[in-house]
Amino acid sequence: QVLSSTAHHLLSPSPASPGGGRHRMALRLGPLLWLGAIFARSRAGELGTLDSEAAVLERLEGASLPLSAVEAADVGRLVHRGWYDAVRKIVQRSHAGTEEEAVWVTSQVRHAVQAEKNSLDDLIRVLDRNYGKAAEVSPASQWAQNSTHVFLAVKFAQRWNAPGALEVGNQTV
């Protein structure tokens, strides 16, 4: 049914098409994009389409939804929406299932949580006015002298034991 509604939408005449919609099949997408859209729509996870955490929990309570029907995109959407009880329920069901299911769910939850953490960390970094601007750093230096010479060692790094800057050329002093 999802496949047929998507195909109907994509195959229906475009209102802006020449001839006032008389063309039987005015594709809005190229043939490859059209097939990709149908495949993506038909593979969309069921949990990602539900509109509340209660609906997701209700769907997960019944044994009618196999854990294999939960897709990576579903887990990502649930984490992104903050529906952590639903994610916990998926994890609990994976623990009761096979080892392969538990490993797959663990991997997907870790990936989704890490992606969300990265987005939130970037948001915090943006609060700093100097974020993304180059900082001026004084180089680390050592010196020694004898009666006839002064020896300087300069390292293009903030501290002597820190790794040096890779894109700095050797400067003549």
Side-chain angles (χ1 to χ4, degrees):
Q1 183 180 4
V2 170
L3 182 62
S4 63
S5 67
T6 302
H8 175 73
H9 171 70
L10 291 173
L11 292 173
S12 63
S14 174
S17 65
R22 285 181 285 162
H23 293 85
R24 183 169 175 90
M25 195 165 84
L27 290 179
R28 296 178 189 157
L29 301 172
L32 291 177
L33 291 176
W34 179 73
L35 289 174
I38 289 177
F39 180 73
R41 178 76 176 173
S42 65
R43 296 284 301 155
E46 180 182 340
L47 295 179
T49 61
L50 298 175
D51 59 354
S52 70
E53 186 177 18
V56 172
L57 287 170
E58 182 179 321
R59 185 71 176 106
L60 287 171
E61 286 295 329
S64 63
L65 180 70
L67 200 54
S68 60
V70 178
E71 297 184 10
D74 291 335
V75 175
R77 284 187 198 105
L78 294 175
V79 170
H80 180 70
R81 290 176 176 172
W83 295 352
Y84 304 127
D85 290 338
V87 176
R88 281 188 192 95
K89 185 65 177 175
I90 291 171
V91 170
Q92 288 171 354
R93 287 198 50 195
S94 75
H95 290 169
T98 65
E99 184 67 26
E100 186 177 297
E101 288 176 337
V103 167
W104 183 84
V105 168
T106 300
S107 169
Q108 296 307 316
V109 169
R110 286 183 191 276
H111 179 71
V113 168
Q114 187 62 48
E116 199 66 22
K117 277 183 182 179
N118 291 345
S119 296
L120 295 173
D121 285 344
D122 192 46
L123 185 60
I124 292 295
R125 281 190 292 273
V126 170
L127 294 174
D128 183 9
R129 290 178 188 228
N130 296 324
Y131 176 66
K133 295 180 183 175
E136 196 171 306
V137 176
S138 300
S141 61
Q142 293 178 338
W143 68 280
Q145 70 183 40
N146 63 17
S147 61
T148 59
H149 291 85
V150 174
F151 300 96
L152 291 175
V154 178
K155 184 174 184 181
F156 295 105
Q158 195 167 12
R159 294 173 305 181
W160 190 256
N161 62 353
L166 299 176
E167 297 179 10
V168 175
N170 195 5
Q171 302 293 321
T172 305
V173 179

